Amino acid sequence: MSLIPTLAETVSRARADLRMGLPVMIGGHLAAAVETLSAERLADIKALGRPLLALTGRRAETLKARAYDDGLARVQVPGDADLGWLRALADPAGDLMTPMKGPLFTEREGDAGPHKAALALAKSAQLLPAVLLVPAHAPAGLTVLAPGQVLAHLAGEAALAPVASARLPLMAAERSRLHIFRPDDGGEEHYAIEIGDPPRDRPVLARLHSACFTGDVLGSLKCDCGPQLQAALAAMGQAGAGVLLYLNQEGRGIGLANKMRAYALQNQGFDTVEANHRLGFEDDERDFRIGAGLLKRLGFSAARLMTNNPRKVAMLEGHGIAVPERVPLVTPRNRFNTGYLDTKAEKSGHLL
Ligand SMILES: Nc1nc2c(ncn2[C@@H]2O[C@H](COP(=O)(O)OP(=O)(O)OP(=O)(O)O)[C@@H](O)[C@H]2O)c(=O)[nH]1
Ligand SMILES: [Zn+2]
């Protein structure tokens, strides 16, 4: 029956539910994202039983809570815990002001499948990875998912379909086209800027650029994104051909709100990698398969890739795009980005 939602559609719906503060049902548990949870819903969840707070191993490490379930901690929630208590565990903004949150007790028995799926869903909704779960029967109207299905779907690759394309003369290259691609799972659209008419049977000068609102649009001095974007387009304009993929993976996949949380932590003295970890994220949450998929869709099988990130090269090669050449993309340092660039070189393996 084609009118029943598919798994992709149900997962997408669940993501939207969590973002607006509506719980979802995962594997017989009611699951609510702490970031968007209201006091009324918290009271109703507590009335159903004893909830557990699912946190990533990264967040648990900062909070000195034991993570027994391989990268995941299920924290016991005391009976008198209120929204403020939950938010303080979810959000590291106040960690330095109020360091002692514990002692926190974590579950070791029982199945952590629903908790793992709920955290993966919260991350994919670009919310703080902190979800309250309680065993319950599904109240009418909530989105219902099985943990295995959620995890399998999120680990899979969304199919991207071309939606529209048109000529777009740029300062860097007058002969340019912008192509829009839309995933079939309700996720973010991604863009391809095709410069000139690159032959499909030769390695194309290519750049996989992850969105950076602060750098690309505002001209932030904290990172190298804006100058990299302009330098890549200029190089392609000069060469007369190239393709720049503009991937909407803001903040290395954690979203702009979480990136600003990470910046606030950087103001407290943490570096870009530590900040992501304290928030409960990995330092890079991007899915680089999207770039390989788009290049293939555009008809390319080899790229001269403009990047300093060896992981991008490896991921393309692992997903069917040969990279015969890496073209370095080094932009000027300033006093605001020099620490960031050093951290990328030291901790993330960037070749700078
Ligand atoms: N979470 C987080 N994301 C950041 C920070 N600074 C920049 N970003 C994001 O990092 C990404 C940088 O993307 P890219 O320049 O494509 O990637 P890269 O891994 O640096 O690799 P190359 O530039 O190709 O060498 C963008 O999505 C930015 O929004 C930060 O401090 N924290
Ligand atoms: Zn940036």
Side-chain angles (χ1 to χ4, degrees):
M1 172 58 170
S2 73
L3 297 179
I4 292 172
T6 62
L7 174 61
E9 287 157 351
T10 310
V11 170
S12 182
R13 205 181 247 184
R15 213 184 266 133
D17 292 345
L18 291 183
R19 282 188 68 85
M20 61 189 166
L22 187 63
V24 299
M25 288 298 303
I26 304 182
H29 286 66
L30 194 128
V34 172
E35 180 172 349
T36 51
L37 182 62
S38 68
E40 295 73 25
R41 287 204 165 121
L42 172 59
D44 289 342
I45 288 171
K46 283 171 133 189
L48 291 170
R50 218 169 54 83
L52 292 174
L53 175 64
L55 297 174
T56 64
R58 293 285 187 199
R59 182 72 189 127
E61 210 174 293
T62 303
L63 293 168
K64 310 258 183 302
R66 296 284 292 275
Y68 292 109
D69 310 305
D70 178 33
L72 178 141
R74 288 171 292 152
V75 180
Q76 295 172 5
V77 178
D80 60 353
D82 60 6
L83 209 47
W85 188 89
L86 289 170
R87 290 211 175 125
L89 292 197
D91 188 342
D95 281 359
L96 293 190
M97 298 286 284
T98 47
M100 265 312 283
K101 305 234 163 54
L104 298 173
F105 300 100
T106 50
E107 287 294 288
R108 6 172 23 146
E109 307 299 326
D111 176 22
H115 309 77
K116 189 172 179 197
L119 278 183
L121 201 57
K123 273 191 183 183
S124 87
Q126 299 190 332
L127 294 168
L128 285 171
V131 184
L132 196 64
L133 290 101
V134 68
H137 295 292
L142 294 192
T143 304
V144 180
L145 284 159
Q149 283 185 320
V150 175
L151 292 169
H153 174 75
L154 293 177
E157 213 175 328
L160 285 152
V163 179
S165 122
R167 277 201 300 274
L168 186 72
L170 301 177
M171 272 190 267
E174 290 186 1
R175 274 185 0 99
S176 305
R177 289 189 80 80
L178 177 61
H179 305 261
I180 309 298
F181 291 88
R182 185 176 295 161
D184 63 354
D185 68 348
E188 291 277 357
E189 292 176 358
H190 303 288
Y191 320 133
I193 297 125
E194 187 176 2
I195 289 177
D197 196 4
R200 273 28 185 190
D201 58 354
R202 267 187 276 149
V204 61
L205 184 61
R207 165 97 184 128
L208 270 55
H209 185 89
S210 298
C212 178
F213 172 73
T214 47
D216 301 341
V217 179
L218 301 180
S220 159
L221 296 172
K222 260 183 80 73
C223 62
D224 54 349
C225 303
Q228 279 189 326
L229 176 62
Q230 296 309 326
L233 290 173
M236 291 173 195
Q238 273 189 348
V243 60
L244 184 138
L245 302 184
Y246 193 92
L247 306 171
N248 276 308
Q249 306 168 315
E250 175 65 60
R252 296 198 294 273
I254 66 175
L256 187 56
N258 285 320
K259 186 171 99 172
M260 283 310 100
R261 292 187 171 116
Y263 275 13
L265 295 175
Q266 290 170 38
N267 293 342
Q268 296 180 358
F270 299 105
D271 70 31
T272 180
V273 170
E274 291 162 346
N276 262 40
H277 290 174
R278 293 184 78 88
L279 284 161
F281 293 104
E282 297 305 314
D283 40 312
D284 197 337
E285 295 271 359
R286 286 175 289 184
D287 181 356
F288 283 124
R289 291 175 304 183
I290 298 169
L294 277 182
L295 284 177
K296 278 189 255 177
R297 259 226 92 103
L298 288 161
F300 299 105
S301 57
R304 296 169 52 227
L305 191 67
M306 307 186 75
T307 185
N308 311 313
N309 184 349
R311 281 192 56 224
K312 285 189 183 175
V313 176
M315 285 299 284
L316 279 194
E317 294 206 304
H319 291 91
I321 302 285
V323 185
E325 188 189 347
R326 181 183 74 85
V327 182
L329 193 54
V330 180
T331 51
R333 286 181 177 248
N334 65 52
R335 66 193 168 95
F336 300 99
N337 72 12
T338 193
Y340 170 71
L341 295 175
D342 286 343
T343 303
K344 287 217 289 188
E346 283 160 24
K347 295 193 176 176
S348 312
H350 281 64
L351 310 158
L352 291 170

